[in-house]
mmCIF file of all heavy atoms in Angstrom:
data_model
loop_
_atom_site.group_PDB
_atom_site.id
_atom_site.type_symbol
_atom_site.label_atom_id
_atom_site.label_comp_id
_atom_site.label_asym_id
_atom_site.label_seq_id
_atom_site.Cartn_x
_atom_site.Cartn_y
_atom_site.Cartn_z
ATOM 1 N N ILE A 1 -8.137 9.871 -21.083
ATOM 2 C CA ILE A 1 -7.081 8.868 -21.104
ATOM 3 C C ILE A 1 -6.266 9.080 -22.369
ATOM 4 O O ILE A 1 -6.826 9.365 -23.440
ATOM 5 C CB ILE A 1 -7.676 7.440 -21.106
ATOM 6 C CG1 ILE A 1 -8.675 7.252 -19.965
ATOM 7 C CG2 ILE A 1 -6.572 6.379 -21.012
ATOM 8 C CD1 ILE A 1 -9.480 5.966 -20.074
ATOM 9 N N CYS A 2 -4.948 8.936 -22.281
ATOM 10 C CA CYS A 2 -4.115 8.988 -23.474
ATOM 11 C C CYS A 2 -2.958 8.015 -23.305
ATOM 12 O O CYS A 2 -2.728 7.473 -22.216
ATOM 13 C CB CYS A 2 -3.636 10.408 -23.786
ATOM 14 S SG CYS A 2 -2.680 11.192 -22.484
ATOM 15 N N GLU A 3 -2.189 7.834 -24.387
ATOM 16 C CA GLU A 3 -1.170 6.799 -24.405
ATOM 17 C C GLU A 3 0.058 7.268 -25.190
ATOM 18 O O GLU A 3 -0.066 7.964 -26.204
ATOM 19 C CB GLU A 3 -1.724 5.530 -25.057
ATOM 20 C CG GLU A 3 -0.729 4.374 -25.176
ATOM 21 C CD GLU A 3 -1.324 3.191 -25.918
ATOM 22 O OE1 GLU A 3 -2.106 3.412 -26.874
ATOM 23 O OE2 GLU A 3 -1.017 2.046 -25.558
ATOM 24 N N LYS A 4 1.224 6.857 -24.708
ATOM 25 C CA LYS A 4 2.471 7.099 -25.440
ATOM 26 C C LYS A 4 3.516 6.107 -24.960
ATOM 27 O O LYS A 4 3.685 5.888 -23.760
ATOM 28 C CB LYS A 4 2.982 8.528 -25.196
ATOM 29 C CG LYS A 4 4.312 8.840 -25.882
ATOM 30 C CD LYS A 4 4.741 10.279 -25.649
ATOM 31 C CE LYS A 4 6.163 10.531 -26.117
ATOM 32 N NZ LYS A 4 6.349 10.231 -27.528
ATOM 33 N N ASP A 5 4.210 5.482 -25.929
ATOM 34 C CA ASP A 5 5.309 4.562 -25.618
ATOM 35 C C ASP A 5 4.908 3.500 -24.614
ATOM 36 O O ASP A 5 5.594 3.272 -23.594
ATOM 37 C CB ASP A 5 6.517 5.367 -25.093
ATOM 38 C CG ASP A 5 7.078 6.325 -26.115
ATOM 39 O OD1 ASP A 5 6.888 6.094 -27.318
ATOM 40 O OD2 ASP A 5 7.676 7.338 -25.706
ATOM 41 N N ASN A 6 3.773 2.836 -24.881
ATOM 42 C CA ASN A 6 3.283 1.746 -24.022
ATOM 43 C C ASN A 6 2.987 2.195 -22.594
ATOM 44 O O ASN A 6 2.945 1.383 -21.663
ATOM 45 C CB ASN A 6 4.298 0.598 -23.997
ATOM 46 C CG ASN A 6 4.543 -0.003 -25.354
ATOM 47 O OD1 ASN A 6 3.609 -0.243 -26.101
ATOM 48 N ND2 ASN A 6 5.801 -0.214 -25.707
ATOM 49 N N THR A 7 2.783 3.477 -22.422
ATOM 50 C CA THR A 7 2.405 4.046 -21.131
ATOM 51 C C THR A 7 1.038 4.682 -21.255
ATOM 52 O O THR A 7 0.773 5.420 -22.221
ATOM 53 C CB THR A 7 3.431 5.097 -20.652
ATOM 54 O OG1 THR A 7 4.726 4.476 -20.597
ATOM 55 C CG2 THR A 7 3.075 5.650 -19.300
ATOM 56 N N VAL A 8 0.149 4.396 -20.300
ATOM 57 C CA VAL A 8 -1.227 4.904 -20.344
ATOM 58 C C VAL A 8 -1.432 5.886 -19.207
ATOM 59 O O VAL A 8 -1.034 5.624 -18.067
ATOM 60 C CB VAL A 8 -2.257 3.750 -20.267
ATOM 61 C CG1 VAL A 8 -3.678 4.301 -20.329
ATOM 62 C CG2 VAL A 8 -2.022 2.738 -21.378
ATOM 63 N N PHE A 9 -2.050 7.035 -19.520
ATOM 64 C CA PHE A 9 -2.271 8.119 -18.566
ATOM 65 C C PHE A 9 -3.780 8.291 -18.334
ATOM 66 O O PHE A 9 -4.547 8.370 -19.300
ATOM 67 C CB PHE A 9 -1.697 9.425 -19.092
ATOM 68 C CG PHE A 9 -0.218 9.378 -19.411
ATOM 69 C CD1 PHE A 9 0.252 8.768 -20.564
ATOM 70 C CD2 PHE A 9 0.712 9.965 -18.549
ATOM 71 C CE1 PHE A 9 1.602 8.738 -20.865
ATOM 72 C CE2 PHE A 9 2.062 9.930 -18.839
ATOM 73 C CZ PHE A 9 2.517 9.306 -20.004
ATOM 74 N N PHE A 10 -4.169 8.401 -17.079
ATOM 75 C CA PHE A 10 -5.569 8.644 -16.694
ATOM 76 C C PHE A 10 -5.613 9.958 -15.906
ATOM 77 O O PHE A 10 -4.896 10.112 -14.912
ATOM 78 C CB PHE A 10 -6.105 7.525 -15.807
ATOM 79 C CG PHE A 10 -6.036 6.147 -16.388
ATOM 80 C CD1 PHE A 10 -4.865 5.392 -16.319
ATOM 81 C CD2 PHE A 10 -7.163 5.574 -16.991
ATOM 82 C CE1 PHE A 10 -4.804 4.111 -16.836
ATOM 83 C CE2 PHE A 10 -7.115 4.287 -17.500
ATOM 84 C CZ PHE A 10 -5.935 3.550 -17.431
ATOM 85 N N ARG A 11 -6.481 10.889 -16.325
ATOM 86 C CA ARG A 11 -6.586 12.174 -15.604
ATOM 87 C C ARG A 11 -7.837 12.231 -14.765
ATOM 88 O O ARG A 11 -8.959 12.123 -15.266
ATOM 89 C CB ARG A 11 -6.568 13.346 -16.571
ATOM 90 C CG ARG A 11 -6.682 14.718 -15.833
ATOM 91 C CD ARG A 11 -6.689 15.884 -16.798
ATOM 92 N NE ARG A 11 -7.900 15.959 -17.585
ATOM 93 C CZ ARG A 11 -9.003 16.604 -17.213
ATOM 94 N NH1 ARG A 11 -9.081 17.200 -16.025
ATOM 95 N NH2 ARG A 11 -10.055 16.622 -18.010
ATOM 96 N N ILE A 12 -7.648 12.429 -13.469
ATOM 97 C CA ILE A 12 -8.693 12.824 -12.539
ATOM 98 C C ILE A 12 -8.369 14.268 -12.172
ATOM 99 O O ILE A 12 -7.236 14.711 -12.317
ATOM 100 C CB ILE A 12 -8.680 11.911 -11.291
ATOM 101 C CG1 ILE A 12 -8.939 10.446 -11.693
ATOM 102 C CG2 ILE A 12 -9.718 12.339 -10.278
ATOM 103 C CD1 ILE A 12 -7.717 9.640 -11.875
ATOM 104 N N ASN A 13 -9.336 15.031 -11.712
ATOM 105 C CA ASN A 13 -9.058 16.431 -11.401
ATOM 106 C C ASN A 13 -7.931 16.581 -10.390
ATOM 107 O O ASN A 13 -7.126 17.519 -10.459
ATOM 108 C CB ASN A 13 -10.314 17.121 -10.870
ATOM 109 C CG ASN A 13 -11.279 17.471 -11.986
ATOM 110 O OD1 ASN A 13 -10.921 17.462 -13.159
ATOM 111 N ND2 ASN A 13 -12.526 17.769 -11.632
ATOM 112 N N SER A 14 -7.831 15.654 -9.435
ATOM 113 C CA SER A 14 -6.844 15.784 -8.377
ATOM 114 C C SER A 14 -5.604 14.937 -8.581
ATOM 115 O O SER A 14 -4.628 15.074 -7.816
ATOM 116 C CB SER A 14 -7.473 15.404 -7.026
ATOM 117 O OG SER A 14 -7.909 14.043 -7.060
ATOM 118 N N LYS A 15 -5.595 14.048 -9.601
ATOM 119 C CA LYS A 15 -4.476 13.143 -9.795
ATOM 120 C C LYS A 15 -4.325 12.773 -11.268
ATOM 121 O O LYS A 15 -5.298 12.837 -12.042
ATOM 122 C CB LYS A 15 -4.651 11.858 -8.986
ATOM 123 C CG LYS A 15 -4.726 12.031 -7.497
ATOM 124 C CD LYS A 15 -5.028 10.717 -6.777
ATOM 125 C CE LYS A 15 -5.198 10.937 -5.290
ATOM 126 N NZ LYS A 15 -5.560 9.705 -4.570
ATOM 127 N N ILE A 16 -3.130 12.372 -11.637
ATOM 128 C CA ILE A 16 -2.901 11.676 -12.901
ATOM 129 C C ILE A 16 -2.267 10.322 -12.563
ATOM 130 O O ILE A 16 -1.261 10.261 -11.856
ATOM 131 C CB ILE A 16 -1.994 12.474 -13.862
ATOM 132 C CG1 ILE A 16 -2.743 13.690 -14.403
ATOM 133 C CG2 ILE A 16 -1.522 11.589 -15.013
ATOM 134 C CD1 ILE A 16 -1.932 14.541 -15.342
ATOM 135 N N PHE A 17 -2.899 9.251 -13.026
ATOM 136 C CA PHE A 17 -2.359 7.903 -12.869
ATOM 137 C C PHE A 17 -1.581 7.546 -14.125
ATOM 138 O O PHE A 17 -2.086 7.717 -15.245
ATOM 139 C CB PHE A 17 -3.461 6.883 -12.644
ATOM 140 C CG PHE A 17 -4.240 7.062 -11.371
ATOM 141 C CD1 PHE A 17 -5.604 6.934 -11.341
ATOM 142 C CD2 PHE A 17 -3.585 7.357 -10.168
ATOM 143 C CE1 PHE A 17 -6.327 7.099 -10.165
ATOM 144 C CE2 PHE A 17 -4.283 7.532 -8.990
ATOM 145 C CZ PHE A 17 -5.660 7.390 -8.983
ATOM 146 N N VAL A 18 -0.371 7.017 -13.949
ATOM 147 C CA VAL A 18 0.472 6.620 -15.073
ATOM 148 C C VAL A 18 0.731 5.122 -14.968
ATOM 149 O O VAL A 18 1.352 4.649 -14.008
ATOM 150 C CB VAL A 18 1.788 7.392 -15.082
ATOM 151 C CG1 VAL A 18 2.655 6.943 -16.263
ATOM 152 C CG2 VAL A 18 1.542 8.905 -15.170
ATOM 153 N N LEU A 19 0.219 4.363 -15.941
ATOM 154 C CA LEU A 19 0.348 2.915 -15.985
ATOM 155 C C LEU A 19 1.478 2.516 -16.923
ATOM 156 O O LEU A 19 1.450 2.846 -18.111
ATOM 157 C CB LEU A 19 -0.964 2.284 -16.456
ATOM 158 C CG LEU A 19 -0.945 0.795 -16.755
ATOM 159 C CD1 LEU A 19 -0.718 -0.031 -15.492
ATOM 160 C CD2 LEU A 19 -2.247 0.370 -17.457
ATOM 161 N N ASN A 20 2.454 1.768 -16.379
ATOM 162 C CA ASN A 20 3.567 1.290 -17.196
ATOM 163 C C ASN A 20 4.074 -0.021 -16.625
ATOM 164 O O ASN A 20 4.389 -0.100 -15.436
ATOM 165 C CB ASN A 20 4.685 2.329 -17.250
ATOM 166 C CG ASN A 20 5.856 1.895 -18.103
ATOM 167 O OD1 ASN A 20 6.871 1.436 -17.571
ATOM 168 N ND2 ASN A 20 5.729 2.025 -19.414
ATOM 169 N N LYS A 21 4.142 -1.030 -17.473
ATOM 170 C CA LYS A 21 4.685 -2.348 -17.095
ATOM 171 C C LYS A 21 4.003 -2.905 -15.860
ATOM 172 O O LYS A 21 4.660 -3.457 -14.942
ATOM 173 C CB LYS A 21 6.199 -2.263 -16.903
ATOM 174 C CG LYS A 21 6.965 -1.890 -18.172
ATOM 175 C CD LYS A 21 8.463 -1.806 -17.915
ATOM 176 C CE LYS A 21 9.191 -1.426 -19.198
ATOM 177 N NZ LYS A 21 10.672 -1.313 -18.978
ATOM 178 N N GLY A 22 2.693 -2.799 -15.815
ATOM 179 C CA GLY A 22 1.930 -3.399 -14.736
ATOM 180 C C GLY A 22 1.982 -2.667 -13.420
ATOM 181 O O GLY A 22 1.495 -3.197 -12.401
ATOM 182 N N LYS A 23 2.535 -1.456 -13.384
ATOM 183 C CA LYS A 23 2.567 -0.655 -12.175
ATOM 184 C C LYS A 23 1.958 0.725 -12.430
ATOM 185 O O LYS A 23 2.029 1.225 -13.554
ATOM 186 C CB LYS A 23 3.986 -0.505 -11.659
ATOM 187 C CG LYS A 23 4.642 -1.835 -11.240
ATOM 188 C CD LYS A 23 6.043 -1.606 -10.698
ATOM 189 C CE LYS A 23 6.676 -2.933 -10.268
ATOM 190 N NZ LYS A 23 8.057 -2.727 -9.727
ATOM 191 N N ILE A 24 1.392 1.310 -11.392
ATOM 192 C CA ILE A 24 0.764 2.641 -11.517
ATOM 193 C C ILE A 24 1.423 3.611 -10.556
ATOM 194 O O ILE A 24 1.563 3.344 -9.363
ATOM 195 C CB ILE A 24 -0.755 2.572 -11.233
ATOM 196 C CG1 ILE A 24 -1.462 1.762 -12.311
ATOM 197 C CG2 ILE A 24 -1.341 3.985 -11.157
ATOM 198 C CD1 ILE A 24 -2.953 1.632 -12.115
ATOM 199 N N GLN A 25 1.843 4.744 -11.115
ATOM 200 C CA GLN A 25 2.356 5.848 -10.311
ATOM 201 C C GLN A 25 1.315 6.981 -10.298
ATOM 202 O O GLN A 25 0.773 7.322 -11.358
ATOM 203 C CB GLN A 25 3.667 6.370 -10.897
ATOM 204 C CG GLN A 25 4.259 7.576 -10.184
ATOM 205 C CD GLN A 25 4.784 7.235 -8.814
ATOM 206 O OE1 GLN A 25 5.408 6.203 -8.608
ATOM 207 N NE2 GLN A 25 4.526 8.110 -7.846
ATOM 208 N N ALA A 26 1.036 7.519 -9.139
ATOM 209 C CA ALA A 26 0.049 8.605 -9.014
ATOM 210 C C ALA A 26 0.769 9.934 -8.803
ATOM 211 O O ALA A 26 1.713 10.028 -8.017
ATOM 212 C CB ALA A 26 -0.897 8.340 -7.852
ATOM 213 N N TYR A 27 0.290 10.970 -9.520
ATOM 214 C CA TYR A 27 0.837 12.325 -9.385
ATOM 215 C C TYR A 27 -0.298 13.248 -8.935
ATOM 216 O O TYR A 27 -1.242 13.482 -9.689
ATOM 217 C CB TYR A 27 1.431 12.790 -10.709
ATOM 218 C CG TYR A 27 2.587 11.949 -11.188
ATOM 219 C CD1 TYR A 27 2.363 10.814 -11.973
ATOM 220 C CD2 TYR A 27 3.907 12.290 -10.869
ATOM 221 C CE1 TYR A 27 3.423 10.028 -12.408
ATOM 222 C CE2 TYR A 27 4.975 11.513 -11.309
ATOM 223 C CZ TYR A 27 4.719 10.385 -12.066
ATOM 224 O OH TYR A 27 5.772 9.606 -12.498
ATOM 225 N N ALA A 28 -0.194 13.737 -7.722
ATOM 226 C CA ALA A 28 -1.284 14.515 -7.111
ATOM 227 C C ALA A 28 -1.139 15.995 -7.427
ATOM 228 O O ALA A 28 -0.061 16.521 -7.665
ATOM 229 C CB ALA A 28 -1.319 14.295 -5.614
ATOM 230 N N SER A 29 -2.274 16.683 -7.431
ATOM 231 C CA SER A 29 -2.342 18.135 -7.566
ATOM 232 C C SER A 29 -3.685 18.584 -7.080
ATOM 233 O O SER A 29 -4.639 17.800 -7.010
ATOM 234 C CB SER A 29 -2.144 18.530 -9.046
ATOM 235 O OG SER A 29 -2.434 19.928 -9.220
ATOM 236 N N ASN A 30 -3.785 19.873 -6.721
ATOM 237 C CA ASN A 30 -5.110 20.359 -6.364
ATOM 238 C C ASN A 30 -6.030 20.482 -7.571
ATOM 239 O O ASN A 30 -7.253 20.456 -7.444
ATOM 240 C CB ASN A 30 -5.021 21.703 -5.625
ATOM 241 C CG ASN A 30 -4.469 22.812 -6.510
ATOM 242 O OD1 ASN A 30 -3.686 22.561 -7.429
ATOM 243 N ND2 ASN A 30 -4.864 24.047 -6.220
ATOM 244 N N TYR A 31 -5.436 20.559 -8.781
ATOM 245 C CA TYR A 31 -6.271 20.563 -9.988
ATOM 246 C C TYR A 31 -5.430 20.349 -11.231
ATOM 247 O O TYR A 31 -4.587 21.175 -11.577
ATOM 248 C CB TYR A 31 -7.043 21.893 -10.108
ATOM 249 C CG TYR A 31 -7.999 21.950 -11.285
ATOM 250 C CD1 TYR A 31 -8.773 20.847 -11.635
ATOM 251 C CD2 TYR A 31 -8.129 23.126 -12.046
ATOM 252 C CE1 TYR A 31 -9.650 20.915 -12.713
ATOM 253 C CE2 TYR A 31 -9.014 23.182 -13.115
ATOM 254 C CZ TYR A 31 -9.772 22.070 -13.448
ATOM 255 O OH TYR A 31 -10.639 22.133 -14.501
ATOM 256 N N TRP A 32 -5.658 19.209 -11.901
ATOM 257 C CA TRP A 32 -5.123 18.973 -13.252
ATOM 258 C C TRP A 32 -6.240 19.333 -14.227
ATOM 259 O O TRP A 32 -7.248 18.631 -14.304
ATOM 260 C CB TRP A 32 -4.743 17.509 -13.422
ATOM 261 C CG TRP A 32 -3.575 16.996 -12.640
ATOM 262 C CD1 TRP A 32 -3.627 16.282 -11.476
ATOM 263 C CD2 TRP A 32 -2.190 17.144 -12.966
ATOM 264 N NE1 TRP A 32 -2.350 15.986 -11.064
ATOM 265 C CE2 TRP A 32 -1.444 16.494 -11.957
ATOM 266 C CE3 TRP A 32 -1.502 17.752 -14.018
ATOM 267 C CZ2 TRP A 32 -0.063 16.435 -11.965
ATOM 268 C CZ3 TRP A 32 -0.108 17.693 -14.025
ATOM 269 C CH2 TRP A 32 0.599 17.052 -13.007
ATOM 270 N N SER A 33 -6.092 20.397 -14.973
ATOM 271 C CA SER A 33 -7.158 20.829 -15.852
ATOM 272 C C SER A 33 -7.078 20.215 -17.244
ATOM 273 O O SER A 33 -8.047 20.257 -18.010
ATOM 274 C CB SER A 33 -7.181 22.366 -15.983
ATOM 275 O OG SER A 33 -6.168 22.814 -16.860
ATOM 276 N N PHE A 34 -5.896 19.637 -17.585
ATOM 277 C CA PHE A 34 -5.713 19.118 -18.950
ATOM 278 C C PHE A 34 -4.683 18.012 -18.953
ATOM 279 O O PHE A 34 -3.701 18.024 -18.205
ATOM 280 C CB PHE A 34 -5.271 20.237 -19.890
ATOM 281 C CG PHE A 34 -4.928 19.758 -21.276
ATOM 282 C CD1 PHE A 34 -5.937 19.520 -22.206
ATOM 283 C CD2 PHE A 34 -3.618 19.515 -21.641
ATOM 284 C CE1 PHE A 34 -5.630 19.048 -23.479
ATOM 285 C CE2 PHE A 34 -3.301 19.052 -22.921
ATOM 286 C CZ PHE A 34 -4.315 18.825 -23.833
ATOM 287 N N LEU A 35 -4.918 17.039 -19.824
ATOM 288 C CA LEU A 35 -3.954 15.993 -20.133
ATOM 289 C C LEU A 35 -4.168 15.590 -21.571
ATOM 290 O O LEU A 35 -5.296 15.309 -22.000
ATOM 291 C CB LEU A 35 -4.167 14.765 -19.233
ATOM 292 C CG LEU A 35 -3.445 13.480 -19.645
ATOM 293 C CD1 LEU A 35 -1.941 13.612 -19.393
ATOM 294 C CD2 LEU A 35 -4.006 12.278 -18.876
ATOM 295 N N GLY A 36 -3.098 15.573 -22.380
ATOM 296 C CA GLY A 36 -3.288 15.190 -23.767
ATOM 297 C C GLY A 36 -1.968 15.048 -24.504
ATOM 298 O O GLY A 36 -0.888 15.400 -23.991
ATOM 299 N N GLU A 37 -2.064 14.545 -25.711
ATOM 300 C CA GLU A 37 -0.895 14.378 -26.582
ATOM 301 C C GLU A 37 -0.843 15.534 -27.555
ATOM 302 O O GLU A 37 -1.793 15.799 -28.280
ATOM 303 C CB GLU A 37 -0.974 13.062 -27.329
ATOM 304 C CG GLU A 37 0.275 12.748 -28.145
ATOM 305 C CD GLU A 37 0.238 11.367 -28.771
ATOM 306 O OE1 GLU A 37 -0.756 10.647 -28.560
ATOM 307 O OE2 GLU A 37 1.205 11.017 -29.472
#
């Protein structure tokens, strides 16, 4: 999990969830190997 500009990111191998202002957007992939600042 990481954070920037009041936005929180959660990495699952197949998705990244982006939380901002009480809503979550999902970004799918067959493999997210890394997420970070």
Side-chain angles (χ1 to χ4, degrees):
I1 307 169
C2 58
E3 178 184 36
K4 178 178 170 58
D5 297 335
N6 299 316
T7 302
V8 181
F9 302 77
F10 303 82
R11 180 181 69 88
I12 299 95
N13 283 345
S14 61
K15 298 175 184 177
I16 288 179
F17 295 138
V18 180
L19 171 67
N20 181 260
K21 297 179 180 180
K23 297 182 179 180
I24 293 180
Q25 177 70 41
Y27 298 88
S29 170
N30 65 331
Y31 184 40
W32 292 100
S33 78
F34 174 81
L35 167 72
E37 186 174 359

